Amino acid sequence: MPAPPSSGRTLLSRALGRRLRLLLPGVASLSVWQVCEALVPVAIGVVVDIAIIPRSLPMLAVAVAGIALLFTVLSFGYRFGARLCNAAREHEAHALRVEVSHAALTSPDLPPDRASGEVLSIASADADLAAEVFAHLGRGVAALLGMIVAAVLLVLSDAVTGLLVLVAVPIGLVLVALPGRAVSEKAGAQLAATARAANSAADLMRGLRVIKALGGSAWALRRFRATSDEAAVAGVATGERSGRLSGVGALVMSVVLAVVLVVAGLRLIDGQMSVGALIAILGMTAFLTEPMRALADIVGLTARSHGAASRIAALLTDLEGTHDAREAPAGPGPAAPPHTAPPRTAPRVSITAHESGLTVSGDAFPSVDVPAGTLVCALVDDDALAHYVLTVLTSQSRVLGPHHLLVTPHAVDLFEGTIRSNITMSSGTDTADSTAVPPATAPTPAPPTPTPAPGTSPAKRPATAGGAVAPAVLAASGAQEVLGLVVDGLDHRIQELGGNLSGGQRQRIALARALHAQSRILVLHEPTTAVDAVTEARIAADIAGLRREAVTLVVTGSPAFLAAADSVVYVPAGAPAVTGTHSELIGAPGVIGDAYREAVAR
């Protein structure tokens, strides 16, 4: 996959390059429309000189037919030009949304200074605003060409007046363009504040039930009001700068038009131009008001699009910083070191997935091979170190694919739909969603799933198709108990974020989703913290039986999983790692045994 754009200008240049097929004919059509607009006052002046003043009915009929043809071309030029530019805008907005979503979904983890609500805001509002550059470009080029044609016609009608316009208009455009950078900066600040408000709203909505239960509604309202006020202030500042820019543009253009009108009037009094020429000049001068003001507005609007594009480019760069898929190998052997550095106070731990299982290695202890057909638990005292280990594995899973390596986080995310769709991650139909990703943003095809080594195979369970879920998966995850409490079973509707389920029910459905994937190597992080001890023990035993021909690694401190595991890798804080069974470690003498017993005590 190519590197993400390094700046907003690079992103916009790339967007323009890949939409030329729509943009070029769109700009050409809009230019035809604007040129025809410029010719309208000329046509009226000609009609006055050749038909009205001589009182010639035949010439009047010809003139009316010509004006009708001119307006026909004018109308169709705008119709098709606007349609093509809008199509380019919508296609590019969609491509940017897909690109941001793909980068966020395939990144091992969000950067620490990025939140999901901010990513959502950038993938929606910023993508749409950045794509608006196509509408601005089409209108801007057409306006500029219309002004040039009008200036040329003015020179042909009256050289003095035309030269005056050719000199005054560029000066006016330069004066209008000067404040553009300030508008871009204010627009970027507004979008950032809006993203913070969106993230705050998403955070509060996620914990709305807890907030109400604890009586924190007033606190939540104050918190959101503060972030929303920041976004409002930033929006007012952007509007103020944009309004000033529009005002300066209108003032400059009005001065230019006033000077042109005065000069043309004086030349008419001196008899240096005809009545038709005067009408044409006045009409073209009035016409110039629209494209000149449009250009003044487009400068500010383009600056806002540039600010949005800069935010998208910055996010893509940050996500690329946590994504080492391009450097990590797809086959056996250690993965490339991730961008996320391990904690400085803890020993470096690396867990590498390969065709015969897992290899656990580190600075302070020798490598430990975890062969296929085993359930291994990793107990890590340092939370930061555990997060680093999971980040390493997540980076490798992006390369190997979920059929070979699947890492499930502790945080449970369910989606609006049914229990079935949340387990199978499909719409419940026999075929997966085949919506094509636009070529410009399509992800690099994943490497083929490595062929299992002799004597190994994925976890066995009854073959399923479409939206079917194996009973063994439901039993091993404890989700079967959840189905017994609802009316529609697997087709029971789940509200947004699983709001109509308890924490334990959400965890069991998420665990069923992980088991349903049939990954050769499955990594779970604290999968049963919200279920009771009896159910947890049964789930641990059932998972060990269900995945007896695959590799399962559970990062947990649960005594039930530790007891069911074939081996345990214990990593004390600031000390070398040790391996053994749960009974061996809990009965070990000395400091290690004391630390292990304290870690698993509940």
Side-chain angles (χ1 to χ4, degrees):
M1 181 181 293
S6 58
S7 64
R9 178 175 298 179
T10 305
L11 187 143
L12 292 179
S13 298
R14 185 195 65 177
L16 296 175
R18 63 189 185 186
R19 304 296 169 197
L20 286 178
R21 184 177 62 85
L22 294 171
L23 184 62
L24 291 179
V27 171
S29 297
L30 287 176
S31 299
V32 170
W33 158 67
Q34 198 73 85
V35 169
C36 291
E37 287 273 12
L39 291 176
V40 168
V42 177
I44 294 175
V46 170
V47 170
V48 170
D49 283 340
I50 68 173
I52 295 178
I53 293 180
R55 297 183 180 182
S56 173
L57 290 178
M59 294 304 298
L60 181 62
V62 172
V64 170
I67 290 179
L69 178 62
L70 181 63
F71 272 93
T72 301
V73 176
L74 179 155
S75 300
F76 278 97
Y78 179 80
R79 175 183 178 183
F80 290 109
R83 179 180 295 180
L84 290 169
C85 288
N86 287 338
R89 179 191 64 192
E90 295 301 328
H91 282 300
E92 185 60 27
H94 169 70
L96 290 174
R97 287 193 294 268
V98 172
E99 184 174 7
V100 173
S101 301
H102 175 261
L105 290 172
T106 57
S107 177
D109 197 4
L110 286 178
D113 58 340
R114 299 285 188 176
S116 57
E118 181 181 6
V119 175
L120 174 62
S121 177
I122 292 176
S124 54
D126 289 40
D128 290 339
L129 187 55
E132 287 287 340
V133 71
F134 290 99
H136 307 331
L137 182 63
R139 184 71 186 279
V141 172
L144 184 60
L145 185 58
M147 290 175 56
I148 294 174
V149 171
V152 172
L153 293 175
L154 282 171
V155 171
L156 295 177
S157 300
D158 186 78
V160 175
T161 307
L163 291 175
L164 175 63
V165 173
L166 292 178
V167 173
V169 168
I171 295 176
L173 291 178
V174 171
L175 294 176
V176 171
L178 291 178
R181 182 177 296 274
V183 175
S184 178
E185 294 175 355
K186 291 294 182 180
Q190 177 191 2
L191 292 170
T194 302
R196 288 193 296 270
N199 179 60
S200 177
D203 186 38
L204 292 176
M205 290 302 102
R206 182 181 293 270
L208 185 59
R209 294 192 176 194
V210 176
I211 291 172
K212 288 186 174 180
L214 296 177
S217 299
W219 167 83
L221 180 60
R222 289 193 301 270
R223 177 186 175 189
F224 179 71
R225 179 171 291 170
T227 56
S228 181
D229 287 345
E230 291 178 3
V233 170
V236 170
T238 303
E240 181 183 4
R241 289 297 179 94
S242 299
R244 288 181 181 178
L245 180 60
S246 298
V248 170
L251 177 62
V252 171
M253 300 313 167
S254 297
V255 171
V256 172
L257 293 176
V259 172
V260 171
L261 289 174
V262 170
V263 173
L266 292 176
R267 293 183 64 78
L268 175 64
I269 294 174
D270 292 340
Q272 298 178 354
M273 66 174 64
S274 64
V275 175
L278 175 63
I279 293 175
I281 290 175
L282 293 179
M284 283 185 288
T285 304
F287 159 78
L288 283 174
T289 304
E290 179 184 351
M292 293 171 75
R293 288 182 177 177
L295 284 174
D297 293 337
I298 286 169
V299 171
L301 294 173
T302 304
R304 297 185 63 183
S305 294
H306 179 269
S310 299
R311 283 173 47 77
I312 295 174
L315 175 64
L316 293 176
T317 302
D318 290 346
L319 292 174
E320 181 72 10
T322 65
H323 196 308
D324 60 349
R326 285 178 293 159
E327 294 83 10
H339 294 282
T340 304
R344 296 181 179 179
T345 59
R348 179 188 294 269
V349 174
S350 175
I351 304 180
T352 305
H354 49 78
E355 294 191 8
S356 59
L358 286 174
T359 296
V360 183
S361 59
D363 295 338
F365 59 94
S367 297
V368 178
D369 289 325
V370 183
T374 55
L375 171 64
V376 178
C377 284
L379 176 56
V380 184
D381 283 345
D382 192 323
D383 291 337
L385 180 59
H387 175 76
Y388 170 70
V389 170
L390 292 169
T391 301
V392 172
L393 284 170
T394 304
S395 299
Q396 297 178 30
S397 70
R398 306 302 181 191
V399 180
L400 301 177
H403 294 293
H404 184 68
L405 173 61
L406 177 64
V407 182
T408 61
H410 169 66
V412 175
D413 288 312
L414 298 184
F415 307 96
E416 186 177 1
T418 63
I419 294 178
R420 184 192 308 276
S421 66
N422 273 274
I423 293 177
T424 62
M425 293 303 293
S426 68
S427 60
T429 58
D430 291 338
T431 57
D433 182 13
S434 60
T435 302
V437 177
T441 59
T444 303
T449 303
T451 303
T456 66
S457 66
K460 284 188 176 180
R461 62 170 174 83
T464 60
V469 182
V473 169
L474 297 174
S477 63
Q480 189 65 51
E481 298 180 4
V482 179
L483 299 182
L485 300 176
V486 297
V487 177
D488 298 325
L490 285 171
D491 295 321
H492 177 71
R493 297 296 302 179
I494 294 181
Q495 297 176 1
E496 184 180 3
L497 302 177
N500 57 333
L501 300 176
S502 67
Q505 290 172 335
R506 290 195 296 268
Q507 275 196 335
R508 280 177 276 188
I509 292 174
L511 183 55
R513 179 169 59 199
L515 296 175
H516 177 81
Q518 301 187 78
S519 177
R520 289 188 62 249
I521 302 173
L522 176 62
V523 180
L524 304 172
H525 181 211
E526 297 289 5
T528 54
T529 54
V531 301
D532 60 88
V534 175
T535 303
E536 186 178 38
R538 184 169 64 251
I539 290 175
D542 288 346
I543 289 178
L546 178 67
R547 296 186 53 82
R548 57 184 176 273
E549 296 186 15
V551 177
T552 306
L553 172 66
V554 185
V555 181
T556 183
S558 165
F561 272 98
L562 296 171
D566 296 297
S567 63
V568 177
V569 180
Y570 176 48
V571 187
V578 295
T579 60
T581 64
H582 175 61
S583 58
E584 290 172 349
L585 292 175
I586 205 167
V591 177
I592 294 296
D594 293 340
Y596 184 80
R597 286 187 289 272
E598 182 179 355
V600 301
R602 287 192 173 182

